[in-house]
Amino acid sequence: MQDVIEALNEAQQEAVQHIDGPLLILAGAGSGKTKTLTTRLAYLISEVGIDPLNTLTLTFTNKAAKEMRERASRLISTQTSSMPLLCTFHKFGLLFLKLHIEKLGRKNNFVIIDSDDKKRILKRIAKEHSIDLNISFIGSEISKYKNTLLTADEILKKAELPDYRKIATVYKDYETEIIENNLVDFDDLLMLTYKILEQDKELRRETSNRYQYIMVDEYQDTNELQFKLLKLLASEHGNLCVVGDDDQSIYGWRGANIRNILEFSTHFKGTKTVKLETNYRSTEPILKAANELIEHNSQRIGKKLSSFKGVGDAVKLLHALDESLESKSIAREIKELLAKGVPADEIAVLYRINALSRSLEEGFTKEGVAFKLLGGMRFYDRAEIKDMISYFRVFANPHDDFSLERIINKPKRAIGKVTVDKLKKGAFENNSSLFTFMKERELAGVVSKKASNSLKKLVEQIELLQHELNHSLYNFIELFEESIGLKKYYASMVDGTERVQNIDEFIGYFREAISKNPNLTLDIFLNDISLQSDQDNIDENAVTIMSIHASKGLEFEHLFVIGLEEEFFPLLGEGCNMEEERRLGYVAITRAKSDLTLSYVDSRFYKGQRKRIEKSRFLGEAGLINDTALKISKSKMYKKGDLVKHKIFGIGRVQGATKSGKEYKLKINFGGHKKEILSSFVQMV
């Protein structure tokens, strides 16, 4: 064990050998956090003599838990007869509830329902109340409520908008049903565990005393419920060690609370903080860009990565006129790398929003570069794009029963499976297509009156759009959304913004195809798509394309990041969190080992139209381009993110600076109170 510890760097050794009291290991990208965490667990058991059964190590994924379990078992002394509990938060909740759920008046033979089961229950309850809201949206909101410990009654009291009162009504009936049937959903595994521990003080003491040493991986990703649960578990001893990186907190949109890590030392008195700042992954130029970018954030504890590998090639910038040329340039560069013998799995392309994958997929297919899409569907495989293509196929050939069946109830037209089965039976008996049967037969006696009216309207819409196809493809695409409303249908979903972006990307691609080929027909366009969406010879030996979110925890020798433009990366507008966008930039850059290319274009499709766009502010903030707007805020004395002290207001963080006579006027955030102060009245901390 001693030789393993001696192989660690000084900061890692300090973290490993800390025994009692709260410990925050601030682990920068590529700094060996997993090695540090597993070595600390082994040290406590093999060197200090802590019983493995008195330890608890929590992770977020089964994959991470498996890897850490394997690493730890290799380090732990073979004399140990028992193994430590190392699992996900939710697995811990399951184990706990099997032992103690009776304290809530429930039986321990409960059944865990999956997301599909949950949707079916919610769909039935919503139908009973005549609530016509998207089921995925209802499910997502209920999940949020459980993870913030809000009951249906509390939501009913607080909700001001009618839709949220409807959700609370469904939530209340849903909870009644799953309790009556002794079911639990995924969120219950933690919520019910917390409730039991919070209500039963004796059991809380017993559980906390059992798990004397608790460790948590990826702490920056914890939500409010997980934080509260950890406080209860560590309440008797305070021996809570968390490992994380505030600069890699990128899941705010799904409930992760960055304040958990930023305020750890406030919540757990006497915290020891150890910073792991030696990066073993990337070269110095890559880390310099990452450090300079993230320094512009004010919500961070602060650290600076240094490269163990040392010098390397400068970060490259790729500038193209549009996304087609961008993808072609990247595909050709990758072909050169592959020709030199670079393994395909050491090459990746990242993007901020999924809609950008379409041009990459097209460009790579044309250049014959095999690729795999990680952590998401290929563009033409996404439900909303399949719906668009199915509509187009119906307009080109209304007798395409397969495509018509796909879109017959999208958007919803009160046409369910029973109605479709009746239509198919009628069409078969009359030896006709579905469309012909719907158009020529009186449907009132076959299906319900509501369904009959909907089908009649759908036939009229198809014929109207077919007519427009023969006159103007430009007008056709405008009329399509106006009459069908597919974007409006998808906009109401939980991930509606992304789905609408994908539809806009498809529409924009269609418009550009029209402008490039005056003789284009819908048949030609659909045939081209079929060729692009059927990538040949795909195997594991392929270049990886993925979102930045999906890339977290991975690393590549050669990395390309596309879409470095305002409104694409960073995203702008309502709900945008610029500091989280910057953290995404930091995560993207630090995936690269030695070769990093950041790409931006002059124009790109945006909301279905080609638009000229500005290059991303992040290129300037990372010190990769000369941006005059940044020169003042990054002056030799003060830069965005600096901590300063004022004799009255105390410690604050600089958010910006402007020239004011012979000195600078600083915008400073003093713990939430923002002031403009002349630089001569503050000093650096």
Side-chain angles (χ1 to χ4, degrees):
M1 187 78 219
Q2 194 58 37
D3 58 335
V4 175
I5 294 174
E6 288 174 359
L8 302 175
N9 65 40
E10 190 176 328
Q12 290 171 331
Q13 289 183 24
E14 185 181 3
V16 165
Q17 295 175 315
H18 175 83
I19 301 173
D20 293 319
L23 172 65
L24 169 60
I25 304 175
L26 199 63
S31 64
K33 73 174 180 67
T34 304
K35 177 193 283 189
T36 304
L37 195 63
T38 51
T39 305
R40 182 174 187 268
L41 177 60
Y43 177 79
L44 288 172
I45 294 168
S46 299
E47 293 292 313
V48 180
I50 304 300
D51 187 334
L53 298 178
N54 290 140
T55 70
L56 172 63
T57 305
L58 297 171
T59 68
F60 277 85
T61 66
N62 289 315
K63 181 183 176 183
K66 182 175 181 288
E67 180 189 350
M68 291 174 67
R69 202 178 297 116
E70 289 171 353
R71 285 203 198 186
S73 65
R74 290 195 294 267
L75 295 172
I76 294 171
S77 168
T78 54
Q79 298 172 5
T80 305
S81 59
S82 54
M83 288 299 292
L85 181 55
L86 200 164
C87 60
T88 64
F89 274 94
H90 291 89
K91 177 63 179 294
F92 173 78
L94 171 60
L95 296 173
F96 182 87
L97 291 179
K98 282 293 181 182
L99 294 172
H100 304 295
I101 198 170
E102 75 278 357
K103 291 185 178 294
L104 295 175
R106 306 272 296 270
K107 295 179 181 178
N108 73 350
N109 62 342
F110 58 82
V111 174
I112 303 171
I113 58 172
D114 61 21
S115 56
D116 287 339
D117 296 327
K118 179 179 175 180
K119 282 182 180 178
R120 279 195 290 271
I121 296 170
L122 293 175
K123 186 175 183 179
R124 179 170 44 74
I125 294 171
K127 188 175 182 180
E128 288 169 0
H129 289 280
S130 300
I131 292 173
D132 189 22
L133 290 175
N134 181 270
I135 299 302
S136 294
F137 177 63
I138 294 174
S140 175
E141 286 300 301
I142 290 173
S143 180
K144 286 179 186 175
Y145 300 151
K146 289 194 175 190
N147 279 283
T148 48
L149 299 167
L150 288 170
T151 66
D153 288 334
E154 287 171 325
I155 299 300
L156 281 168
K157 288 177 184 176
K158 293 179 179 180
E160 296 180 2
L161 297 175
D163 281 356
Y164 288 95
R165 287 196 289 274
K166 291 176 184 176
I167 292 171
T169 300
V170 175
Y171 180 19
K172 190 165 187 174
D173 283 6
Y174 170 72
E175 282 295 275
T176 300
E177 175 152 338
I178 64 174
I179 290 171
E180 286 178 351
N181 290 281
N182 203 24
L183 307 172
V184 299
D185 63 24
F186 198 61
D187 301 307
D188 287 333
L189 294 174
L190 295 187
M191 184 188 76
L192 298 180
T193 296
Y194 173 82
K195 281 187 173 181
I196 292 169
L197 288 171
E198 200 266 338
Q199 292 170 10
D200 192 321
K201 292 181 181 178
E202 186 55 40
L203 179 59
R204 180 166 75 239
R205 280 195 291 268
E206 178 189 318
T207 307
S208 182
N209 283 322
R210 175 175 180 178
Y211 300 113
Q212 287 282 331
Y213 293 90
I214 301 170
M215 291 189 281
V216 184
D217 190 24
E218 302 285 8
Y219 185 68
Q220 76 280 348
D221 295 335
T222 52
N223 62 23
E224 183 178 345
L225 177 55
Q226 287 159 339
F227 161 71
K228 288 183 173 180
L229 181 58
L230 288 169
K231 284 199 79 172
L232 295 184
L233 290 172
S235 58
E236 291 299 304
H237 48 72
N239 295 329
L240 175 63
C241 165
V242 301
V243 182
D245 185 0
D246 52 331
D247 293 331
Q248 294 188 75
S249 178
I250 58 173
Y251 297 114
W253 50 277
R254 71 180 189 196
N257 188 351
I258 191 175
R259 291 175 60 185
N260 290 350
I261 191 167
L262 293 177
E263 299 172 4
F264 183 81
S265 59
T266 302
H267 295 300
F268 299 93
K269 300 300 181 185
T271 292
K272 179 182 180 65
T273 300
V274 177
K275 297 182 182 181
L276 305 186
E277 298 177 293
T278 301
N279 174 286
Y280 294 91
R281 176 188 300 152
S282 308
T283 55
E284 196 61 53
I286 292 170
L287 294 185
K288 182 176 181 293
N291 284 330
E292 290 202 25
L293 173 63
I294 205 64
E295 279 177 7
H296 288 79
N297 271 5
S298 58
Q299 279 193 310
R300 62 191 298 258
I301 298 169
K303 65 180 180 312
K304 195 161 189 173
L305 295 178
S306 60
S307 174
F308 182 80
K309 295 169 74 172
V311 296
D313 294 337
V315 176
K316 296 189 285 288
L317 296 182
L318 175 63
H319 175 203
L321 292 175
D322 59 29
E323 69 276 9
S324 295
L325 293 172
E326 175 185 57
S327 60
K328 183 186 291 186
S329 296
I330 291 174
R332 289 180 176 176
E333 282 196 35
I334 289 174
K335 283 175 77 173
E336 289 181 14
L337 290 172
L338 295 171
K340 292 175 183 176
V342 174
D345 60 4
E346 281 291 353
I347 306 171
V349 188
L350 310 183
Y351 45 78
R352 170 65 182 90
I353 60 173
N354 287 325
L356 267 59
S357 78
R358 198 273 310 163
S359 59
L360 284 174
E361 292 173 36
E362 179 188 351
F364 281 30
T365 301
K366 285 181 177 177
E367 291 293 329
V369 176
F371 65 88
K372 56 186 175 185
L373 194 67
L374 191 68
M377 289 185 186
R378 295 178 62 237
F379 186 80
Y380 292 107
D381 289 339
R382 291 168 185 148
E384 61 274 16
I385 301 305
K386 282 189 170 184
D387 289 346
M388 288 288 292
I389 292 171
S390 293
Y391 265 110
F392 278 27
R393 284 175 175 162
V394 169
F395 300 144
N397 174 19
H399 307 297
D400 178 351
D401 285 0
F402 179 78
S403 297
L404 180 57
E405 190 176 340
R406 179 181 177 90
I407 54 89
I408 200 166
N409 199 40
K410 291 182 181 177
K412 290 184 178 179
R413 301 184 175 94
I415 303 168
K417 185 178 183 303
V418 173
T419 300
V420 172
D421 287 344
K422 288 178 179 178
L423 292 173
K424 288 166 74 174
K425 183 174 182 289
F428 177 78
E429 290 172 349
N430 285 270
N431 195 29
S432 70
S433 68
L434 277 176
F435 181 79
T436 300
F437 184 73
M438 287 161 50
K439 179 181 177 181
E440 296 180 356
R441 288 296 301 267
E442 177 57 52
L443 298 177
V446 180
V447 299
S448 70
K449 185 177 180 181
K450 187 176 182 180
S452 175
N453 291 336
S454 293
L455 291 166
K456 183 179 179 182
K457 184 178 179 182
L458 177 59
V459 169
E460 291 172 354
Q461 289 172 329
I462 291 170
E463 291 186 322
L464 173 65
L465 285 156
Q466 277 187 301
H467 175 76
E468 197 60 48
L469 267 176
N470 298 322
H471 292 80
S472 167
L473 287 179
Y474 278 110
N475 292 342
F476 156 76
I477 197 62
E478 295 294 334
L479 186 61
F480 170 76
E481 180 55 31
E482 184 182 318
S483 58
I484 302 297
L486 197 63
K487 283 205 295 187
K488 185 179 179 182
Y489 166 68
Y490 273 113
S492 66
M493 296 187 179
V494 178
D495 54 353
T497 300
E498 184 177 312
R499 289 179 183 269
V500 170
Q501 286 174 340
N502 291 334
I503 292 173
D504 282 338
E505 174 72 16
F506 182 86
I507 291 171
Y509 176 53
F510 180 65
R511 283 197 178 115
E512 181 158 66
I514 297 168
S515 65
K516 287 181 177 178
N517 182 4
N519 299 317
L520 184 76
T521 65
L522 203 55
D523 283 334
I524 293 172
F525 179 73
L526 290 170
N527 287 337
D528 285 346
I529 283 176
S530 296
L531 293 174
Q532 290 167 21
S533 59
D534 183 23
Q535 189 193 2
D536 294 326
N537 304 320
I538 184 70
D539 56 32
E540 284 306 304
N541 188 31
V543 174
T544 305
I545 298 176
M546 72 184 112
S547 69
I548 296 168
H549 281 101
S551 76
K552 191 166 176 288
L554 302 177
E555 56 183 42
F556 301 91
E557 199 69 43
H558 303 271
L559 186 73
F560 299 81
V561 185
I562 70 166
L564 268 294
E565 304 108 20
E566 296 289 290
E567 297 188 72
F568 286 93
F569 194 18
L571 290 182
L572 302 177
E574 187 179 351
C576 170
N577 182 327
M578 188 56 65
E579 298 223 340
E580 184 153 316
E581 291 294 306
R582 210 171 270 117
R583 292 193 291 270
L584 272 168
Y586 175 85
V587 167
I589 290 171
T590 54
R591 298 311 94 198
K593 295 182 187 178
S594 59
D595 179 24
L596 174 63
T597 300
L598 304 181
S599 174
Y600 65 98
V601 299
D602 291 332
S603 78
R604 197 181 290 276
F605 278 117
Y606 184 63
K607 296 184 178 177
Q609 297 181 340
R610 181 157 294 284
K611 179 180 177 182
R612 289 194 63 81
I613 42 181
E614 295 296 322
K615 55 182 169 286
S616 172
R617 69 190 71 186
F618 292 169
L619 297 174
E621 292 179 353
L624 298 172
I625 61 173
N626 291 324
D627 191 334
T628 54
L630 293 167
K631 286 179 181 177
I632 293 175
S633 66
K634 290 184 71 67
S635 68
K636 63 180 181 180
M637 286 191 64
Y638 295 99
K639 65 178 182 297
K640 190 171 182 181
D642 280 342
L643 279 176
V644 294
K645 185 176 183 179
H646 186 273
K647 63 182 180 181
I648 296 174
F649 302 119
I651 303 292
R653 197 175 290 276
V654 176
Q655 294 190 317
T658 54
K659 196 81 168 85
S660 179
K662 293 182 179 180
E663 59 181 311
Y664 291 89
K665 183 187 289 185
L666 305 178
K667 289 184 179 179
I668 307 171
N669 186 340
F670 295 98
H673 300 286
K674 297 176 182 178
K675 303 283 185 183
E676 287 194 346
I677 305 289
L678 292 174
S679 55
S680 59
F681 287 81
V682 297
Q683 61 186 41
M684 297 283 280
V685 174

